[in-house]
């Protein structure tokens, strides 16, 4: 089997979220996910592109029953180990062709995975398809309006193998992709090299004064 894009990034991914800035990024991203998804005990939820299960764990802690899907076997193995003993099952599959019937999950979410898909509209259609009618879908991606995106684009030009494979999208880009009425919010309104002590104030000010420019862009809708 051809190696998946993230097979060699498993440990580096987790180490980033263990740094002082990475921990705050994870906290802000998780808080926004939980605000938009609002997972409840016993709900059957699909996590598409679950990676090593960092954000999966936060949803599980709300009492939900979660199925995690990822194209990378090493990433999925880490997610299974991290969430061992919890109501979590995982499988390797492609988010462009979800191996589930229509209307089978109460809620569906995907954290920073859709930017690696050229056919983002097809992915959104698949996420919507497997959600039950009235169910919530949340898709988070990397915001093209953020200074973080410019920094990553520069790294791509310098040969960064991961950032060369990313499609950055704006809030307006995501509004066009999703069906019906949607809600969009962003987080991470501070630069990567910001002093840790300054980050909470920078985040608060950014959400007030530049609500569309956070590096982490999340869109939420309910299936018709």
């Amino acid at each position: 089997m051809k190696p998946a894009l993230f097979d060699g990034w498993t440990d580096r991914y987790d180490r980033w979220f263990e740094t002082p800035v990475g921990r705050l990024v994870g906290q802000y991203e998780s808080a926004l996910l939980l605000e938009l998804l609002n997972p409840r005990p016993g709900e059957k939820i699909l996590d598409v592109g679950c990676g090593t299960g960092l954000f999966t764990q936060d949803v599980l802690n709300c009492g939900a029953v979660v199925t995690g899907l990822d194209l990378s076997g090493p990433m999925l193995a880490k997610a299974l180990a991290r969430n061992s003993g919890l109501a979590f099952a995982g499988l390797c599959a492609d988010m462009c062709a979800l191996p589930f019937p229509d209307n089978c999950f109460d809620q569906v979410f995907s954290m920073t995975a859709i930017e690696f898909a050229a056919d983002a509209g097809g992915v959104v259609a698949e996420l919507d398809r497997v959600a039950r009618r009235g169910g919530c879908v949340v898709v988070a991606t990397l915001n093209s309006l953020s200074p973080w995106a410019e920094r990553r684009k520069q790294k791509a030009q310098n040969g960064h193998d991961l950032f060369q494979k990313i499609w950055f999208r704006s809030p307006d880009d995501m509004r066009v992709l999703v069906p019906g009425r949607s809600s969009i919010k962003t987080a991470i309104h501070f630069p990567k090299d910001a002093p840790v002590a300054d980050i909470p104030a920078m985040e608060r000010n950014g959400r007030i004064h530049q609500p569309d420019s956070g590096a982490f862009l999340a869109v939420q809708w309910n299936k018709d």
Side-chain angles (χ1 to χ4, degrees):
M1 180 182 294
K2 182 181 178 181
L5 177 61
F6 271 93
D7 283 0
W9 284 81
T10 304
D11 292 336
R12 280 179 283 182
Y13 179 85
D14 278 355
R15 283 198 300 268
W16 154 242
F17 283 104
E18 292 168 0
T19 65
V21 173
R23 280 195 291 270
L24 284 172
V25 167
Q27 289 170 17
Y28 289 129
E29 291 181 352
S30 178
L32 185 52
L33 168 66
L34 296 179
E35 175 189 339
L36 294 176
L37 192 68
N38 189 27
R40 292 176 287 273
E43 282 190 322
K44 187 179 177 183
I45 296 178
L46 177 64
D47 178 358
V48 177
C50 65
T52 64
L54 282 170
F55 298 101
T56 319
Q57 191 171 50
D58 295 328
V59 175
L60 286 163
N61 288 339
C62 294
V65 178
V66 181
T67 298
L69 179 148
D70 204 278
L71 195 59
S72 169
M75 297 285 273
L76 184 63
K78 190 72 173 285
L80 288 166
R82 169 173 275 125
N83 297 303
S84 176
L86 300 176
F88 177 68
L91 74 161
C92 277
D94 190 339
M95 63 183 174
C96 297
L98 298 176
F100 306 107
D102 298 353
N103 309 309
C104 64
F105 289 97
D106 295 313
Q107 304 206 64
V108 179
F109 73 98
S110 180
M111 294 285 280
T112 58
I114 197 170
E115 58 267 27
F116 296 99
D119 182 14
V123 173
V124 166
E126 278 292 273
L127 302 180
D128 191 73
R129 178 183 66 79
V130 300
R132 66 168 174 79
R133 297 196 181 280
C136 174
V137 183
V138 176
V139 179
T141 190
L142 303 179
N143 188 358
S144 66
L145 303 185
S146 166
W148 288 66
E150 293 306 315
R151 185 169 180 166
R152 287 160 172 161
K153 289 175 184 176
Q154 184 60 53
K155 287 188 174 183
Q157 292 176 4
N158 294 335
H160 194 292
D161 61 337
L162 188 63
F163 294 148
Q164 288 176 335
K165 300 175 177 67
I166 287 178
W167 283 266
F168 293 97
R169 298 181 175 95
S170 69
D172 284 343
D173 293 333
M174 295 305 295
R175 287 188 183 95
V176 171
L177 285 174
V178 305
R181 180 180 297 180
S182 63
S183 173
I184 289 183
K185 294 188 177 183
T186 73
I188 318 304
H189 295 270
F190 50 88
K192 186 177 181 180
D193 55 359
V196 172
D198 295 343
I199 287 177
M202 296 175 74
E203 182 66 12
R204 286 194 299 272
N205 289 336
R207 293 195 185 196
I208 293 170
H209 301 294
Q210 296 177 309
D212 283 343
S213 68
F216 179 78
L217 163 63
V219 55
Q220 181 264 359
W221 72 94
N222 290 93
K223 180 175 178 177
D224 291 335

